[in-house]
Amino acid sequence: MTTKTTFGVRNISKEEYNVLNFGNVQEGQDISAFLEDAIEAAVADGCRKVVIPHGNYYLSSKVDATLATVGSPVKTFHLDGAGARLLVPESNTDGGIRIEKQDNFLRMTVENLHILSEHTASGSVTGGTGLELYSALQPGDAGWGTTDVPELTMNNVFVAAAIPASQGRWDDAIKVNGFWFPRVSKLFADTRHTGTDADTNYETGDGIAFWNCFQLDMVQCRSRGRFQNNIRIDEDGAEPGFGYEDFAVTQCYGEGGKDALTIRHSSAGEQAAALKEPGGAIVGGHYNGHRYAINIENRRQFSIQDPLLYTTIGSGNFDYAGAAFCRLYDCHSATVSVRVPEGGHYTNNTDCTRHVHLDGTTSHVLVTGSEFGANGIAIANSSTGTGNMVTGNKFSSYSGSPDVRYVKGAGAGTIEGSDIYESLEPSLEFGGGSTGVTYSRRDGGYVQDGLKVTFWADIQLSSKGTSTGNANITLGLPAPVSGADFAFNISYSTGASTQAAEGGIINPSGELELYHKNASDNLNQRITDADFDNTTEIRVSGTYFTEM
């Protein structure tokens, strides 16, 4: 049977260190020095656990503890707040608790910890970083990736604002750096920074941030307030391939930051790598950012599954011209399914909120099963990547529908899928030339759904020009199957002798060759410039395949 010793209000076993046993302190007093001593002494003496008994205590200075397990008989450490409330007064601007481990064998657990800032919400100072856990072993260092790696478990950690509502500010609330397999649940971060200007009135740091961590699993965590990022998963190590692979963010909540959820790789080494950091999933949750609700950069092979997304617009103060509910930058091989029922803004195609924004070199992304009902552009494509597809989405919600369904930026790659049409401007040529041809109207476009292309074009001339020869319409369509002849229909034509025009074929270059019937009623007579006048209108449509 384990012997129990009583300290303060709680029974503590000899396997545990009670922080109150390191000084003659009572509830309501400062325990900064005693907590630091208890943490360092526990590991050095072979004790696996430090307990802060239930009660209210002050951290008048930053607790900065170093865990050096070399020579210690234990390789694990457990900090249990036991529901204690640790208050950081306004005089302390250095931070709450920082714990650094220095070797490669430590498994760390932190739970039941409440750290509360008393800094004035409208003031000019913060409580620094509320809780920081740092491993000196970083991606690419000797020993990283071995069987003895720094593991971390966190549960029920609350780094937020004290009561009343006029108090509580942090630069960073919770910051973790350099751990393998972090298993975290029920983390809560909050700051009450006030202000109205979108670009300057945020804290300098993040609510919940994981840097240089491998295979993060985050469940039911919540961060709110004006942080740069409410939740951030990032890597700044120069060594590519040692990142936070296979992250899982499940039923989490971020609200009120510049960006609600950011997942990225910020090192030059990884950004230059041919393959970005692989693996990951965002499952459910609720994200509401002023600029981006979800922002993912330099990642591949991940999925976004049914989160609810908003962007907060407050009296014109948070109208970011380039805002997006979900932005993917330089990402590859991903599936996106999001709920965007309301919010956003639309002034024009440049100053608006994008529901899904494909940017940089993003490629091979499937957007499907989403609901788009907010203001703005549903799908904005400024990516030069290829293989992106948008299909099976709903473009309405209880609040309405997007102002614009799809906008393609200059130089952007093509998006396939039944939900998106590519707008094209058709041109009329005679004998391969178009000298002097002018138009009073010309519209066209196509939808590519897998191997099938459906197109249409409408041309009305104001002058047929001086070129002569057979008439072709060029649209810039994807090339059809080599060696196959696909017919199309001329649904309407007026002017000169085009009334007899009934159809044509798509040649190997994707051009539309126009025909009408001959005297024997066969559709094999080419239409030429002689069949047009200066006001001819012609409409065509058809379907063909790019592969068989």
Side-chain angles (χ1 to χ4, degrees):
M1 178 180 294
T2 303
T3 302
K4 297 285 185 179
T5 307
T6 301
F7 292 107
V9 296
R10 181 181 164 140
N11 288 330
I12 306 296
S13 82
K14 66 179 182 180
E15 292 296 316
E16 301 173 344
Y17 272 31
N18 184 341
V19 66
L20 300 188
N21 199 39
F22 281 75
N24 184 23
V25 294
Q26 302 296 321
E27 184 175 352
Q29 294 182 337
D30 176 31
I31 63 167
S32 303
F34 308 119
L35 179 55
E36 186 172 316
D37 289 344
I39 293 172
E40 294 183 345
V43 174
D45 293 346
C47 179
R48 293 173 173 83
K49 188 173 184 179
V50 171
V51 175
I52 308 170
H54 179 78
N56 296 319
Y57 308 96
Y58 276 93
L59 299 179
S60 60
S61 61
K62 179 180 178 180
V63 175
D64 196 349
T66 300
L67 306 179
T69 62
V70 175
S72 171
V74 299
K75 303 299 180 186
T76 63
F77 174 73
H78 184 175
L79 177 61
D80 185 354
R85 290 161 47 92
L86 306 181
L87 304 174
V88 178
E90 193 157 23
S91 58
N92 178 2
T93 60
D94 294 328
I97 298 175
R98 183 181 188 273
I99 302 175
E100 176 179 337
K101 62 160 297 298
Q102 290 190 323
D103 63 68
N104 196 27
F105 298 91
L106 189 67
R107 276 68 167 171
M108 184 184 297
T109 299
V110 178
E111 62 180 348
N112 305 320
L113 193 61
H114 288 204
I115 306 175
L116 307 177
S117 165
E118 292 186 334
H119 297 73
T120 304
S122 59
S124 59
V125 296
T126 75
T129 300
L131 175 65
E132 180 177 2
L133 306 177
Y134 180 82
S135 171
L137 184 74
Q138 293 289 299
D141 291 347
W144 181 267
T146 66
T147 56
D148 296 309
V149 292
E151 297 180 11
L152 175 66
T153 300
M154 298 178 71
N155 178 56
N156 191 29
V157 175
F158 188 97
V159 181
I163 298 173
S166 60
Q167 293 182 344
R169 287 190 59 187
W170 302 104
D171 287 337
D172 297 271
I174 300 172
K175 186 174 183 180
V176 178
N177 195 328
F179 286 87
W180 276 57
F181 313 119
R183 301 292 182 259
V184 300
S185 63
K186 296 181 174 62
L187 308 187
F188 180 81
D190 180 30
T191 189
R192 290 179 176 158
H193 179 28
T194 61
T196 56
D197 182 80
D199 286 316
T200 61
N201 279 275
Y202 296 101
E203 305 293 11
T204 59
D206 308 309
I208 300 172
F210 284 84
W211 289 83
N212 302 313
C213 290
F214 182 85
Q215 294 191 349
L216 168 67
D217 190 353
M218 179 186 295
V219 179
Q220 294 182 349
C221 296
R222 181 184 180 109
S223 173
R224 68 184 186 187
R226 294 182 183 178
F227 293 107
Q228 292 292 318
N229 302 275
N230 292 114
I231 300 174
R232 180 174 188 168
I233 304 171
D234 207 334
E235 183 175 343
D236 58 1
E239 186 77 24
F242 288 102
Y244 42 88
E245 298 172 272
D246 298 323
F247 68 86
V249 180
T250 305
Q251 296 298 339
C252 292
Y253 178 102
E255 180 184 33
K258 188 173 186 178
D259 301 334
L261 173 62
T262 293
I263 301 175
R264 64 192 298 262
H265 198 302
S266 59
S267 78
E270 188 65 29
Q271 290 176 8
L275 296 177
K276 312 300 181 183
E277 284 295 348
I282 300 169
V283 181
H286 179 136
Y287 301 99
N288 184 352
H290 292 147
R291 183 179 62 170
Y292 304 133
I294 293 178
N295 179 41
I296 303 182
E297 303 179 17
N298 295 295
R299 294 289 306 183
R300 64 183 172 100
Q301 297 175 4
F302 61 88
S303 63
I304 302 175
Q305 304 169 26
D306 294 323
L308 185 63
L309 307 184
Y310 295 90
T311 57
T312 300
I313 307 300
S315 304
N317 294 316
F318 300 102
D319 287 352
Y320 284 92
F325 293 97
C326 179
R327 174 180 180 258
L328 306 184
Y329 182 86
D330 281 0
C331 293
H332 307 286
S333 304
T335 301
V336 176
S337 175
V338 296
R339 304 294 176 208
V340 189
E342 61 179 324
H345 76 285
Y346 183 83
T347 303
N348 52 51
N349 286 353
T350 302
D351 184 359
C352 63
T353 307
R354 292 91 172 145
H355 296 190
V356 172
H357 185 190
L358 307 180
D359 201 0
T361 61
T362 293
S363 62
H364 299 284
V365 170
L366 171 63
V367 181
T368 187
S370 296
E371 177 187 60
F372 301 125
N375 294 324
I377 299 171
I379 304 294
N381 180 27
S382 57
S383 168
T384 57
T386 59
N388 297 311
M389 177 173 285
V390 179
T391 187
N393 300 284
K394 179 183 177 184
F395 291 83
S396 64
S397 71
Y398 64 86
S399 69
S401 58
D403 297 271
V404 181
R405 177 177 285 212
Y406 173 61
V407 170
K408 179 181 180 181
T414 297
I415 289 183
E416 300 179 10
S418 58
D419 289 351
I420 296 298
Y421 68 87
E422 292 280 352
S423 295
L424 298 174
E425 193 172 60
S427 298
L428 181 65
E429 296 180 352
F430 300 111
S434 57
T435 303
V437 177
T438 58
Y439 308 89
S440 59
R441 184 180 70 253
R442 51 176 172 165
D443 299 300
Y446 71 94
V447 171
Q448 183 168 358
D449 189 4
L451 306 180
K452 183 172 72 174
V453 176
T454 301
F455 67 90
W456 63 96
D458 182 357
I459 290 176
Q460 184 169 16
L461 297 178
S462 55
S463 173
K464 73 174 188 176
T466 58
S467 293
T468 60
N470 292 334
N472 285 357
I473 294 176
T474 61
L475 265 172
L477 295 170
V481 176
S482 177
D485 291 329
F486 292 95
F488 63 88
N489 179 55
I490 298 177
S491 59
Y492 176 83
S493 60
T494 61
S497 60
T498 60
Q499 290 92 335
E502 294 191 15
I505 64 170
I506 306 167
N507 67 28
S509 299
E511 297 175 332
L512 310 182
E513 298 180 357
L514 305 179
Y515 286 80
H516 58 65
K517 291 182 178 180
N518 60 15
S520 301
D521 203 35
N522 295 317
L523 191 66
N524 62 4
Q525 184 73 39
R526 287 299 306 270
I527 298 175
T528 70
D529 63 286
D531 297 309
F532 285 75
D533 64 22
N534 288 326
T535 61
T536 293
E537 181 179 4
I538 189 166
R539 301 173 188 171
V540 302
S541 62
T543 298
Y544 66 94
F545 293 89
T546 58
E547 294 181 28
M548 298 291 284

